[in-house]
Amino acid sequence: MNQTENLLIKLQDMSQFLASGSLNDNLNEQAAMTAALVGAETCSVMLLNEGDGDEMRMSVCASHGPLPPAALQVKVGRGEGIAGHVLASGRSLLVEDIANSQFAHLARRASDPRRSLMLAPIRIDAKVVGMLNASCSQAKACFSSVDLHLLDVIALFIGKSIQVQQLQSILNSRFTQLAMLQDVRGKVEDSGITAYQHPDQIARILAKSFFKEMTRAGFDSAQIVQAASEIITQLNSNLQRHSERAARREDGALH
């Protein structure tokens, strides 16, 4: 099988990226699939999920492979580190050997055999909303420009997948539609508004809208607190049911 045929097969596999399910589950599956497609040992998806405008920061939302704990916890802004460099430039990057590159001082572990890496920005409506990172496996010495082009295409698919899932979630909730519409109207003059809203941001928008609507309807502070307490009660009840189901499944597996 020649290189072109192999690439076409890989591109066909990416049709699975537009899958159903939760955003987090899909992103983890997509990170694993990306690693398999480009021959990477580790792969991570970072999304902008904190701050506003040019001050927004991104963190790892999904990963595959043995990433160091520090990489999973760090929040990266524009121009910070390799990912921040790509975020600022908006252009994908191939580093053949980090130890012999301009980013050598940023290598977390100089002795790590995974020295080749590449990064591609994830876009929605031409706006960068995150980053797709891949590090070479020990079995594959170095990424090539062909691998980088493939990563760019995968990043495009992931961006579309995120957008589709977000739209589906919004369309499923009338309250969410109204809250998001009000939020967009409030920011219509803000040139920094992004087409993508992280689930945490949507949750904050809904919370603010909930508070405003209850205040507008004439509820006092104690009643709003009571409503918020009911939400927490419902959440705890839901978590308890999930815990009990998990315990029953574990008990059944043991017997």
Side-chain angles (χ1 to χ4, degrees), residues 230-244:
E230 178 61 25
I231 293 175
I232 295 173
T233 299
Q234 293 294 326
L235 174 61
N236 287 335
S237 176
N238 188 53
L239 292 174
Q240 181 64 30
R241 288 195 298 270
H242 280 293
S243 177
E244 290 173 353

Side-chain angles (χ1 to χ4, degrees), residues 1 5-19 29-30 32-34 36-38 150 153-154 157:
M1 181 183 298
E5 291 174 336
N6 187 44
L7 181 59
L8 289 174
I9 291 174
K10 290 181 177 181
L11 290 174
Q12 287 179 331
D13 290 340
M14 286 193 294
S15 63
Q16 301 175 41
F17 274 26
L18 295 176
E29 291 176 6
Q30 290 163 1
M33 189 182 298
T34 300
L37 288 172
V38 301
L150 180 56
V153 177
I154 294 173
F157 271 79

Side-chain angles (χ1 to χ4, degrees), residues 7 11 14 17 34 37-38 86 90-94 118-123 128 130-134 144-160:
L7 181 59
L11 290 174
M14 286 193 294
F17 274 26
T34 300
L37 288 172
V38 301
V86 176
R91 296 189 297 271
S92 55
L93 175 69
L94 168 63
M118 51 185 181
L119 305 89
I122 298 172
R123 289 184 170 86
V128 176
M131 198 69 51
L132 181 60
N133 313 299
S144 67
S145 59
V146 174
D147 296 321
L148 184 62
H149 291 320
L150 180 56
L151 193 73
D152 274 327
V153 177
I154 294 173
L156 176 63
F157 271 79
I158 291 179
K160 292 301 180 184

